[in-house]
Amino acid sequence: MPYRSATADILFSLSAVADFPALVEQKLMGDLDWDAVSSVIGEAGRFATAEIAPLNRTGDLSGATYENGVVTAAPGFADVYRHWAEAGWNGVSAPAEFGGMGLPHLVNVACTEIWNGASMAFALCPLLTEGAIGALKAHGSRELTDIYLPPMVSGRWSGTMNLTEPQAGSDLNAVRTRAERAEDGSYRLFGQKIFITYGEHDMAENIVHLVLARLPGASAGTRGLSLFLAPKFLVNADGSLGQPNDLRCAGIEHKLGIHGSPTCVMVYGDNEGAKAWLVGEENRGLAAMFVMMNAARLAVGTQGVAIGDRAYQQALAYARERRQGRSAKGGDGMAPIIERPDVQRMLMTMKANVHAARGICHLTGVSLDLAEYAATESERTAAANRAALLTPIAKAFSTDIGDETTSIGVQVHGGMGFIEETGAAQHMRDSRIAAIYEGANGIHAIDLVQRKLPLAGGETVRNEIAQIRQVASEVAGRGGAGFGATAERLAEASDALEESTRLMLAWLATDQNSALAGASQYLRLFGLTLGGACLAKAGLAAETLAKSGNKTELGRVGLARFFAEKLATAAPGLARAVASGAMPLEPYESILAESA
Ligand SMILES: Cc1cc2nc3c(=O)[nH]c(=O)nc-3n(C[C@H](O)[C@H](O)[C@H](O)COP(=O)(O)OP(=O)(O)OC[C@H]3O[C@@H](n4cnc5c(N)ncnc54)[C@H](O)[C@@H]3O)c2cc1C
């Protein structure tokens, strides 16, 4: 069965989980209506299914190639990118004043899932451009935005994010790339960046690099970092392309997956220095880059959902066709493996986890919209805090789910899953990076615990738990028998989350080591509980539809029940693991010692 974009499920989640139609109809976001949103997402799905999805395999097999500083995109990528950009898709959420569609964040989250489900390697190019557009829009001078944003929004030029250096990965304090002030008010960059996604390629006419670097005399650490814009080709006063800048791609990495996405070593300033312009203020570069990083975090979380859904679709089709053993239903034919309870468990786990992670990404996206469009200042602040709380969960939980789902996808295929021809292994290989880049998931867990739980004196997280409890009570109050023990399991998970949250907040003041040691398990516990609430909301919406005669969505009740009874039941165990705190250092040292 060929892959199809998950537009119907996405639309259902936007509506039932994120309550987006109600928000749109309040006209907070201008003239937009739900029909327009549905039609944009439907069109995106059609484009992705027909044009991008076929690139997924060729991108994996041929990959991007490097020769003498030139990177050539995988076969077909450049043509499809051109069609895609000409159709206006690069500007979904970009501001209308620069040629974008100016649509809400949540519509963009939906489209991001669609592009990444079709081909993650392809979609990474616009994912980075979109982040660069956001950072420039928020912090670039009028002069810079006027020159660079229109061609970036149209997709004629692409963007990159240059943080990482060999000694500076999770810890950007160690960035060494150097910036010098030039007499004309511009700057010159010298240094090397590694792992730069789409740092060089032939799909766009120009590449706009956003680079973190340190000015002379700047303080050590991230407070001494400034953000610069350095184009591949310098731009003439009339907007045409001029001389090549003093920067180059020194090679691309050979990787486990996403072969179609070139991961570049970038060298700045072999000669006179790469000409660059300051974005924002000197020494405030990380704050400016955070706009890009936050957008990219949610987008990367969405990649986990997208690739998980693709793996699920493929596993489902295989399980319907592959026959092994006699059918329990009688007769002498071989039964498709989908009839086996354990295969059903695998498929249900894949689907339920993907839908839960999608719901979390959608809640994060809608919070970003409310942070911008809600009617009052206090609503906007609360929504911004909610988006901040949920972003690390959307990123880390969803990408872990992407890994788990693609791995189960291989398992459903049995031995054929391990054979590259089926493509199941590619999903697993492609998915693996999402838990690592854009901040490794362990770093997001720390961010959640150390910086996000204390937001608004703990009120943001308490509100989130209260909303989950509200969903559990609604299931208990008006949910049908199909929900089984969903309300009870969700209430237990909420208890576990509440207790762990209380402990974490206390430990932040008294025992940082225990807070840090349990951070990843805490994030998982949060994702499971919130994900369970998302599925329960979708199930309740499906029951409401059924009462008005449309029973097609009722499977969502069973999905919510499966998640609550089979997956969210891990929550109390995770809470106990969190509560056990940090192990004393000495046992770890002896257990991890080479001779042990
Ligand atoms: C394919 C690919 C594309 C990429 N694209 C880009 C890009 O476009 N732009 C860019 O700038 N970078 C990019 N990166 C870099 C990526 O963001 C980093 O690899 C990532 O942030 C992790 O840094 P690191 O590899 O140095 O790992 P390390 O920082 O060495 O981390 C290794 C492990 O240690 C853990 N760890 C590290 N510090 C701590 C701590 N304080 N507490 C707890 N655990 C810790 C991490 O969670 C991780 O599990 C890309 C990388 C890859 C592989």
Side-chain angles (χ1 to χ4, degrees):
M1 187 185 79
Y3 167 76
R4 294 181 68 82
S5 296
T7 45
D9 282 334
I10 291 172
L11 284 168
F12 198 91
S13 174
L14 292 183
S15 166
V17 180
D19 298 318
F20 200 50
L23 206 67
V24 166
E25 297 311 334
Q26 284 174 35
K27 295 292 170 206
L28 288 174
M29 302 165 204
D31 291 342
L32 192 67
D33 60 28
W34 178 243
D35 283 347
V37 171
S38 310
S39 116
V40 167
I41 291 169
E43 276 310 314
R46 274 186 282 283
F47 188 103
T49 302
E51 298 214 33
I52 303 175
L55 298 177
N56 197 47
R57 192 88 184 111
T58 46
D60 186 52
L61 292 174
S62 306
T65 50
Y66 175 88
E67 201 175 343
N68 293 331
V70 175
V71 176
T72 306
F77 273 44
D79 282 344
V80 173
Y81 178 78
R82 220 170 7 258
H83 297 162
W84 181 85
E86 280 164 8
W89 290 117
N90 199 52
V92 169
S93 65
E97 63 174 308
F98 296 106
M101 296 188 204
L103 290 170
H105 294 285
L106 192 50
V107 178
N108 193 44
V109 172
C111 290
T112 301
E113 181 186 335
I114 288 171
W115 314 135
N116 280 280
S119 167
M120 188 168 146
F122 175 89
L124 271 159
C125 181
L127 191 155
L128 269 305
T129 308
E130 178 202 322
I133 290 170
L136 269 179
K137 170 79 178 43
H139 295 282
S141 65
R142 188 72 220 186
E143 205 184 344
L144 280 185
T145 53
D146 282 350
I147 297 171
Y148 287 92
L149 283 186
M152 289 175 79
V153 168
S154 75
R156 280 197 298 118
W157 299 357
S158 67
T160 71
M161 176 171 73
N162 286 242
L163 283 70
T164 308
E165 298 177 10
Q167 77 294 343
S170 301
D171 181 10
L172 293 173
N173 287 295
V175 163
R176 281 190 204 138
T177 296
R178 196 161 56 79
E180 284 178 9
R181 296 180 187 88
E183 282 177 4
D184 63 357
S186 66
Y187 295 78
R188 300 290 179 272
L189 300 183
F190 303 86
Q192 192 197 73
K193 296 283 179 181
I194 60 166
F195 296 160
I196 304 308
T197 297
Y198 277 93
E200 169 56 22
H201 61 90
D202 59 351
M203 286 159 51
E205 294 164 22
N206 201 3
I207 303 175
V208 181
H209 302 285
L210 292 191
V211 186
L212 277 184
R214 206 179 288 283
L215 280 159
S219 53
T222 53
R223 291 213 173 124
L225 293 175
S226 305
L227 182 63
F228 298 93
L229 178 157
K232 173 178 168 181
F233 292 106
L234 299 172
V235 181
N236 298 321
D238 63 357
S240 62
L241 297 185
Q243 294 296 311
N245 205 349
D246 182 16
L247 59 90
R248 67 187 166 90
C249 172
I252 61 175
E253 307 293 347
H254 300 281
K255 312 192 292 287
L256 181 66
I258 52 165
H259 295 152
S261 167
T263 305
C264 303
V265 177
M266 298 301 299
V267 176
Y268 293 88
D270 277 333
N271 302 303
E272 71 283 7
K275 193 163 186 185
W277 288 266
L278 186 69
V279 178
E281 293 170 37
E282 288 187 356
N283 303 322
R284 301 264 307 135
L286 205 58
M289 195 58 129
F290 258 119
V291 173
M292 182 164 193
M293 286 153 75
N294 269 333
R297 284 168 181 179
L298 176 54
V300 169
T302 307
Q303 290 187 320
V305 177
I307 199 150
D309 190 79
R310 185 164 189 155
Y312 166 71
Q313 288 190 29
Q314 184 167 337
L316 179 66
Y318 186 82
R320 284 180 173 145
E321 279 173 17
R322 171 71 175 162
R323 290 170 183 275
Q324 281 296 282
R326 285 193 183 285
S327 172
K329 293 177 182 164
D332 50 9
M334 304 265 278
I337 58 171
I338 197 168
E339 285 185 13
R340 310 292 169 195
D342 191 56
V343 176
Q344 292 163 3
R345 171 195 63 80
M346 290 194 276
L347 292 168
M348 288 292 286
T349 302
M350 294 173 85
K351 182 165 183 166
N353 271 330
V354 165
H355 283 232
R358 178 182 288 128
I360 293 172
C361 290
H362 286 178
L363 290 180
T364 314
V366 81
S367 307
L368 288 172
D369 283 322
L370 285 169
E372 209 169 318
Y373 301 111
T376 66
E377 177 73 34
S378 67
E379 284 171 321
R380 288 194 291 275
T381 305
N385 283 342
R386 189 183 192 200
L389 174 77
L390 297 188
T391 297
I393 306 170
K395 196 281 177 182
F397 180 75
S398 306
T399 55
D400 282 346
I401 290 304
D403 282 344
E404 289 164 29
T405 307
T406 52
S407 177
I408 300 174
V410 169
Q411 193 72 16
V412 170
H413 284 75
M416 286 310 289
F418 201 68
I419 308 300
E420 287 286 356
E421 272 158 49
T422 55
Q426 185 197 336
H427 304 319
M428 200 173 111
R429 291 187 286 98
D430 285 352
S431 152
R432 192 62 191 87
I433 184 58
I436 297 171
Y437 62 17
E438 216 27 71
N441 282 0
I443 303 294
H444 288 288
I446 294 171
D447 176 53
L448 172 66
V449 168
Q450 281 190 323
R451 280 183 284 277
K452 304 303 170 60
L453 294 189
L455 281 171
E459 196 185 324
T460 308
V461 65
R462 281 193 292 275
N463 280 344
E464 200 60 45
I465 298 172
Q467 290 191 48
I468 298 171
R469 287 197 186 281
Q470 172 66 24
V471 176
S473 340
E474 280 183 41
V475 174
R478 65 182 171 99
F483 275 104
T486 302
E488 291 87 329
R489 295 294 91 83
L490 209 46
E492 281 164 17
S494 308
D495 291 344
L497 179 60
E498 189 162 314
E499 175 54 20
S500 290
T501 304
R502 193 195 57 73
L503 207 53
M504 282 296 189
L505 282 166
W507 274 339
L508 285 179
T510 58
D511 182 0
Q512 285 276 336
N513 264 351
S514 286
L516 296 180
S520 285
Q521 283 153 326
Y522 175 78
L523 188 148
R524 179 74 179 196
L525 162 60
F526 212 138
L528 281 177
T529 312
L530 184 57
C534 292
L535 291 186
K537 274 184 92 174
L540 288 170
E543 279 195 343
T544 306
L545 269 181
K547 281 179 196 142
S548 59
N550 176 358
K551 299 194 173 169
T552 55
E553 303 292 343
L554 272 179
R556 295 178 196 276
V557 176
L559 201 63
R561 176 180 183 170
F562 179 88
F563 191 90
E565 293 186 2
K566 307 284 186 194
L567 304 175
T569 39
L574 286 163
R576 279 194 288 277
V578 169
S580 76
M583 279 178 76
L585 200 57
E586 198 241 321
Y588 268 127
E589 280 181 345
S590 58
I591 294 166
L592 298 178
E594 262 178 49
S595 57

